[in-house]
Amino acid sequence: MNKAVPPVDLQFDDDGPLYVAGKKVYPQSISGTFRRIKWGLMAVCLGLYYLLPFVRWNRGLGAPDQAVLIDFPNRRFYFFFIELWPQEIYYFTGLLILAAMVLFLMNALGGRIWCGYLCPQTVWTDLFYAVERWMEGDRRERIKADAAPTTVNRLARRVLKHAIWLVIAWWTGGAWVLYFSDAPTLVKDLATFQAPAIAYVWIGILTATTYLLAGHAREQVCVYMCPWPRIQAALTDEWALNVTYKYDRGEPRCSVKKAFDLRSLGEKVGDCIDCNQCVAVCPTGIDIRDGAQLGCIQCGLCIDACDSVMKKIDRPTRLIGYDNDINVQRRITGQNEIFKPVRARTIVYASIIVAVCAVMLYTLLTRSLLDLNVLHDRNPVAVRLSDGSIRNGYTLRFLNKRGFDRVIAVDIDGPADAQIHIVGADSVTPDRPMIVLGRDSTTELRVLVTAPFDEKAEKTSPVKFRGTDIGFGEAASASDHFVLP
C-alpha cells in the first residue's frame, strides 16, 4: 500500500533583481600607449564623420559634386567615383557581410577591439568625458564636488558642461543629415530656417540620442543595451587576446613595503600592490582582476594605469596586458608563451573577407552601365489585326547610368518576320528604331511587336529585346514571350 507523500515546502533562491541600479562611474584620466591610440582614432573617426560631407568630387555637368551622398529623391548613392542605383542593392548586402566578417575577425584576434576603440558610443563618450574633466576636474575633484553642497561656481561649470555637450550632440546630428543633401546648401538653409522640416526633426532626434547616450547612459549602453558583448562571447575562443590581469604574476597581492620585506626573505610575492588604479581609470567601473566580464570593453586604459604604477615601484610592466588564459597557465607550469593569430577561425574569416571583396570589386568593375527590363502587356495579352497578323505589346525600361545622353538602337529576336514599333517615336530606320536616352536616368518605352500569323507556330515563343549603344557598342538585353491569341 502506497504511503501518502507529505507536501513539500518549495524554497526558491532569490538571485536578486534582473537590473541593478548603476553606480556613477568617475573614470580617471591616464596617459600611455593605449590612451594615445584612442586619442588618435577618435580624431580620425570624428574628423571623417564631421568633414566628409564637405568633400567635393567632380562627376560632370549637372551631377552632384558631394563625394559621399545618399540622394533619396533621385534614388542614388554616391561614394567618390562609385554611383549605385536601387537595382544594385546587392552591394549593400555585400558590405553588411563584409562588416560582420571584419568584426568577427577583430574579435578572434583581439577581443572587443571594436568596442574599445572604434564603436561610436565609445568615441563620443570619450569626447564627453574629456569635456567633463575640462570643466569639472579629474576623478577626485568630481567625487569631492558631488559629495559637497552645490555652489554657484560648481553650478555654472555644470551648466557650461551640458551646454558644450549639447553643442557636440547638435553638430553630430547635423553632420548626419548632411550626408543626405548637398552639405553647404543645407547648412545655409538650416541657418536661415529654410531647410525642410524633416531635417530639423532628425537633427533634434540625433541630438537627443547623442546627448543621452554619450553624456548620461555611458557604460549602461555597453552593459545593458548593446547586444555585441553577448554575441562576441559565443564567437571567441581560448586563443583570442583579451585585456587580462596576469594573476600568475600579480598574486598574492600586498603593499609595496610588505612586498619588499617578503622578497628579501625569499618568499613569493605578487607584483600587484592593490592600488586600484586599474579600477579608477576604467570607463565602465569594473575590476579587471576579477577576470573576464561583460562590462569590459577592452579599451586598454587599465594597462596604461598599471604600467605607470609598475614603473614607479621598479617592477616589469604589462602586469595587465593583451593575453589569454592559456598563456597564464603555461607560465604557471614554466612553459613558454604561445600566440596563434593564424588559426582555422581567423583563416576562415579572412578568406570570406577576401572572397567578398573580390566578388564586389569584380562586379563593380564589370557591371554594365546600360540596363534593360521588359514587361509584357496583360490585358489584352495578344491582339489579332485585320490583316490576320498578331500583335503583342510590351513596356521596355532602359537605365542609362552614364553621365551623358546616349543613342540606343533597339533590335528584336523572336518570331519570323516580326516588326517592332516604338509608340510615339519616329526613326529614320523603321526596321531598327533608335531612341535617345537621357543621362543618368530611366526611360520607359511602349513597344509593339507584330508578326504574321503562322498556323504551325507554337502558342508561346521566346522573344528577346536588345538595346545597343551605337557610340560605345555597349548592349543590354531582356527576354519575354510572344503569345498567340
Side-chain angles (χ1 to χ4, degrees), residues 327 329-338:
N327 283 330
Q329 296 300 323
R330 290 181 66 86
R331 288 193 296 269
I332 292 176
T333 57
Q335 302 179 68
N336 294 327
E337 297 177 336
I338 296 179

Side-chain angles (χ1 to χ4, degrees), residues 51-304:
L51 299 178
L52 198 54
F54 297 96
V55 176
R56 302 293 97 182
W57 188 267
N58 185 14
R59 297 187 178 88
L61 185 64
D65 63 349
Q66 187 162 311
V68 180
L69 176 64
I70 303 172
D71 189 357
F72 274 144
N74 296 312
R75 300 178 183 178
R76 305 283 190 279
F77 172 69
Y78 299 95
F79 186 81
F80 292 91
F81 64 92
I82 300 174
E83 177 184 347
L84 298 181
W85 288 52
Q87 292 82 357
E88 298 170 319
I89 191 66
Y90 48 83
Y91 285 110
F92 296 99
T93 304
L95 288 176
L96 291 176
I97 297 173
L98 191 61
M101 291 299 107
V102 170
L103 202 59
F104 295 166
L105 180 59
M106 292 169 66
N107 175 66
L109 292 174
R112 293 170 65 180
I113 297 176
W114 168 261
C115 298
Y117 301 95
L118 297 170
C119 175
Q121 173 67 17
T122 299
V123 172
W124 266 282
T125 299
D126 265 357
L127 181 60
F128 276 46
Y129 272 137
V131 173
E132 187 172 58
R133 294 190 187 101
W134 177 42
M135 297 306 305
E136 299 184 10
D138 209 345
R139 172 183 168 85
R140 292 182 180 179
E141 289 83 355
R142 297 201 306 278
I143 294 176
K144 183 178 179 181
D146 284 351
T150 302
T151 64
V152 175
N153 180 58
R154 172 69 173 168
L155 182 60
R157 287 180 175 272
R158 280 187 175 180
V159 170
L160 184 56
K161 176 191 73 173
H162 286 280
I164 297 175
W165 280 359
L166 284 171
V167 170
I168 295 173
W170 168 77
W171 186 242
T172 299
W176 178 252
V177 172
L178 297 181
Y179 285 93
F180 295 84
S181 183
D182 182 66
T185 303
L186 184 56
V187 168
K188 179 181 177 181
D189 291 343
L190 289 169
T192 57
F193 300 100
Q194 297 177 354
I198 191 66
Y200 294 102
V201 170
W202 275 107
I203 290 175
I205 292 173
L206 295 171
T207 298
T209 53
T210 304
Y211 173 74
L212 291 174
L213 296 181
H216 296 278
R218 295 181 174 178
E219 74 282 350
Q220 302 296 319
V221 175
C222 304
V223 176
Y224 294 105
M225 297 174 62
C226 180
W228 177 236
R230 294 156 180 82
I231 296 173
Q232 71 91 27
L235 292 173
T236 192
D237 61 7
E238 67 275 16
W239 292 105
L241 297 179
N242 295 287
V243 174
T244 305
Y245 167 64
K246 302 174 184 179
Y247 54 85
D248 60 301
R249 196 188 116 191
E251 301 295 328
R253 310 171 195 173
C254 59
S255 64
V256 178
K257 184 178 183 302
K258 186 177 180 181
F260 179 79
D261 295 338
L262 292 175
R263 287 193 183 97
S264 64
L265 296 175
E267 296 189 23
K268 175 176 171 54
V269 180
D271 285 344
C272 180
I273 62 174
D274 213 11
C275 64
N276 283 327
Q277 286 301 297
C278 55
V279 181
V281 302
C282 180
T284 59
I286 68 163
D287 189 342
I288 191 63
R289 296 171 296 178
D290 293 338
Q293 299 165 66
L294 188 67
C296 178
I297 62 173
Q298 298 181 19
C299 59
L301 296 182
C302 55
I303 302 176
D304 289 337

